Amino acid sequence: MSETKHKSPYAVEVRGLSRSFGPRKILADVSFQLKHGEILTIMGGSGCGKSTLLRHIIGSLKPDSGEIYIDGTETTKLDDEEFSKVRKRFGMLFQTGALFNSMTVGENVALPILESSDVAPHIADLVVKLKLELVGLTGFENLKPAQISGGMKKRVAMARALALDPDLLFCDEPTSGLDPVMTSVIDTLTVDLTRKLGMSAIVVTHDMTSAFRIATQMVFLFEGRVVATGTPEEIKANPNPILQQFINGYADGPIPLKLSKDDYLKRLLQS
Amino acid sequence: MLLAYAQLSLQAFASIFAPLFGQRGWRLSALFKQMVNIGVASMPTVALANFLLGIVLAMQGAGQFEKLGATDLVAALVTFSILREIGPLITAVIVIGRSGSSITAELGTMKVEEEIEALDVMGIDPVKYLVVPRLLAMLLMMPVLTVLGEGVGLFAGWLISVTSLHLDPIFYIHNATAAVEQKDLWTGLLKALMFGGVVGTVCCFYGMQVEGGAEGVGKATTKAVVTSLTAMLAMDALLTTLIYFI
């Protein structure tokens, strides 16, 4: 992919994004950039706002304030019709795979192809075969999602996300619930495909091994705020205690995972 | 809530008529699949329910008319009630219980499993892709099912009158046709069409609104059935008033 094809040096740029649900502030002044051809991982504990952030980028949610640029186009102000044009340029791998259970694997991958243009079904079949081959699932076209394993579902979802040769790939917890081998398979696939197809990718994850394996850039969120950004080496060397506790998986530290006896008593008396 | 319902309904009806204005046509295979799910598969239950109500109407009517010595009025009662009210009403009740609930549960599960969001992200409008075939199938099949139900109900009334009440079969038919006008048939079918629209939009709306996993799907399905029944009865009252009393 040549640089001249792009309108902006950044595939995705988020500026000062904030969002509250009722009194709870989920995202507070989040900013980061993803350069073309890079893989950025958004990390953080459960409930830190990383999936919400991704949903804002893909346009499922609208922010209270802040801007999101996809290859230089500001997407937060676009209406549904205009956004659907931008969406054609990206693929999304959902946490659960989000395959259509009533359709076969082949029909799932063919869906975006057939819906986006008047492609003849036999051409779509050919593209489906190619995409399934990319993810190592040749010959699985006629099986239903219920007949294949969790890891295979994720790979089919990846094939579907790649169906329209997107410039941008978004993955929401692509390795959650998978065994270490399958996690590694999905990671390798993400890295290989982004390199081979010249895509950029944003991967939301709380799996540190996986994040360090694939990322060229990292963003760490804590309670809706960006605590650290940088390359994997910079993140590893960052002395921030919250970040270090998360990377090393310590139970004790500044992240309030468990209330102490005193805090528990205090809260109980307050309520 | 009402606003969101109105928005979805308007969007769905606009999408139904969009092919008339040069936009991409209906997904015929999806439409036929829904017509089979909603319509063809409901036929045995609709027929049975109408058959039983036809029998009940004839027997209850005979009990009352016998006291007046006017048993032959049973034909008028059965035909009149089935065409105007019972046929469309009981058919809609069956369709709500059988197909309406399944629409909400199916769409709700798709919502929970992120399938609807996936459609959105792929640039496919979920209303066009999921709601339109279901709503259109409801609009087309509700009148068809009503005609079937009415036919079976009328036959049941005739059968019980001829066999148990010993009425003359030809005389019964003569009485029945004299008691009703063509308008009664058309108004019954108009009601069926309107019921189809109400049930289709309400059940799709609740399905698309589901949040909170399996529990959410269960709650939405209950709400969809209760709201569809109430809205259908309110629509029935409104149409009866408009057609027969104004």
Side-chain angles (χ1 to χ4, degrees):
Chain A
M1 202 174 286
S2 67
E3 283 299 313
T4 48
K5 194 184 158 190
H6 306 299
K7 284 199 288 184
S8 154
Y10 300 116
V12 177
E13 191 180 359
V14 175
R15 286 189 202 160
L17 196 77
S18 295
R19 174 69 197 253
S20 301
F21 290 109
R24 282 185 64 210
K25 194 143 197 157
I26 303 295
L27 294 172
D29 198 22
V30 173
S31 300
F32 63 86
Q33 294 101 13
L34 165 71
K35 285 185 192 152
H36 292 287
E38 300 215 346
I39 300 177
L40 178 130
T41 53
I42 301 174
M43 306 175 299
S46 305
C48 72
K50 53 191 192 306
S51 288
T52 311
L53 174 59
L54 190 64
R55 281 186 158 68
H56 279 88
I57 301 173
I58 62 170
S60 297
L61 293 171
K62 295 274 179 205
D64 296 333
S65 62
E67 293 128 40
I68 297 164
Y69 295 85
I70 292 185
D71 193 20
T73 307
E74 221 240 282
T75 56
T76 44
K77 292 191 178 71
L78 296 182
D79 63 26
D80 286 349
E81 207 165 308
E82 289 168 324
F83 206 116
S84 73
K85 282 179 200 153
V86 178
R87 278 175 169 154
K88 290 209 161 72
R89 296 179 52 200
F90 61 67
M92 167 88 189
L93 171 60
F94 285 87
Q95 191 172 355
T96 55
L99 296 178
F100 299 100
N101 289 314
S102 58
M103 296 179 182
T104 63
V105 164
E107 287 167 344
N108 264 290
V109 182
L111 183 70
I113 305 166
L114 293 171
E115 289 297 321
S116 68
S117 56
D118 289 325
V119 178
H122 67 276
I123 303 284
D125 280 349
L126 200 69
V127 179
V128 168
K129 282 202 173 77
L130 285 172
K131 298 294 169 188
L132 285 175
E133 201 180 309
L134 269 181
V135 297
L137 287 175
T138 313
F140 282 72
E141 291 92 323
N142 296 321
L143 292 179
K144 287 271 177 86
Q147 295 168 302
I148 57 177
S149 73
M152 285 177 180
K153 275 185 201 167
K154 290 264 165 90
R155 284 193 277 161
V156 174
M158 180 82 94
R160 188 178 67 181
L162 300 174
L164 294 176
D165 297 326
D167 299 331
L168 248 175
L169 178 68
F170 297 108
C171 305
D172 189 6
E173 305 273 7
T175 56
S176 70
L178 299 182
D179 65 56
V181 176
M182 197 45 80
T183 301
S184 180
V185 169
I186 296 280
D187 288 344
T188 315
L189 210 57
T190 312
V191 175
D192 282 356
L193 291 176
T194 42
R195 274 194 203 138
K196 275 183 198 161
L197 306 174
M199 292 185 301
S200 321
I202 292 185
V203 180
V204 162
T205 184
H206 58 230
D207 179 344
M208 285 297 105
T209 320
S210 171
F212 281 105
R213 196 154 38 200
I214 61 175
T216 54
Q217 281 293 316
M218 295 179 138
V219 171
F220 183 77
L221 284 185
F222 179 69
E223 292 181 344
R225 289 177 188 281
V226 175
V227 173
T229 54
T231 60
E233 291 71 32
E234 286 167 349
I235 291 285
K236 260 184 199 159
N238 192 317
N240 185 311
I242 295 173
L243 183 59
Q244 285 307 320
Q245 187 195 348
F246 195 83
I247 293 175
N248 296 305
Y250 299 140
D252 286 326
I255 300 175
L257 293 176
K258 207 168 74 174
L259 287 176
S260 69
K261 238 185 206 172
D262 289 348
D263 286 341
Y264 179 72
L265 206 65
K266 216 160 115 190
R267 277 204 189 179
L268 205 65
L269 289 172
Q270 267 173 0
S271 64
Chain B
M1 186 85 170
L2 259 177
L3 193 73
Y5 167 73
Q7 201 179 356
L8 179 89
S9 307
L10 280 176
Q11 206 185 336
F13 278 106
S15 301
I16 286 180
F17 293 110
L20 299 179
F21 301 99
Q23 287 195 26
R24 197 172 171 170
W26 302 326
R27 288 171 181 80
L28 287 180
S29 62
L31 175 64
F32 287 138
K33 193 177 160 198
Q34 292 305 324
M35 282 168 76
V36 170
N37 279 349
I38 291 167
V40 181
S42 299
M43 282 179 175
T45 327
V46 165
L48 180 68
N50 278 281
F51 184 82
L52 294 173
L53 270 166
I55 290 177
V56 169
L57 262 178
M59 291 196 297
Q60 292 283 17
Q64 296 303 312
F65 287 132
E66 214 168 22
K67 293 178 195 161
L68 304 169
T71 324
D72 44 344
L73 281 178
V74 169
L77 173 81
V78 170
T79 315
F80 184 82
S81 344
I82 284 186
L83 288 188
R84 276 196 183 187
E85 276 303 327
I86 306 286
L89 203 75
I90 199 68
T91 304
V93 170
I94 300 287
V95 172
I96 290 170
R98 214 199 138 273
S99 313
S101 56
S102 102
I103 287 178
T104 308
E106 190 187 2
L107 293 182
T109 310
M110 290 180 83
K111 176 91 191 292
V112 171
E113 305 265 325
E114 297 177 315
E115 291 179 25
I116 292 181
E117 200 178 346
L119 279 177
D120 243 335
V121 173
M122 283 189 259
I124 301 169
D125 181 0
V127 173
K128 275 189 199 162
Y129 192 77
L130 297 172
V131 175
V132 166
R134 286 166 176 78
L135 176 60
L136 201 55
M138 226 8 139
L139 287 167
L140 293 171
M141 293 315 284
M142 194 73 100
V144 172
L145 287 169
T146 303
V147 169
L148 170 84
E150 286 176 350
V152 174
L154 292 177
F155 169 72
W158 174 83
L159 192 70
I160 208 78
S161 304
V162 172
T163 52
S164 299
L165 309 175
H166 307 297
L167 294 179
D168 181 73
I170 304 295
F171 187 59
Y172 179 97
I173 293 170
H174 180 262
N175 269 353
T177 45
V180 291
E181 311 167 43
Q182 216 173 32
K183 185 187 169 194
D184 295 318
L185 180 68
W186 291 123
T187 52
L189 290 181
L190 174 72
K191 279 184 181 177
L193 185 73
M194 302 296 272
F195 294 167
V198 168
V199 176
T201 47
V202 167
C203 293
C204 286
F205 170 72
Y206 277 108
M208 302 285 277
Q209 294 284 314
V210 167
E211 262 166 24
E215 194 192 359
V217 175
K219 279 185 181 165
T221 309
T222 308
K223 274 188 196 164
V225 169
V226 173
T227 314
S228 296
L229 273 174
T230 319
M232 185 267 288
L233 290 170
M235 175 70 85
D236 189 23
L238 179 74
L239 286 174
T240 307
T241 314
L242 287 178
I243 296 166
Y244 294 105
F245 290 93
I246 291 179

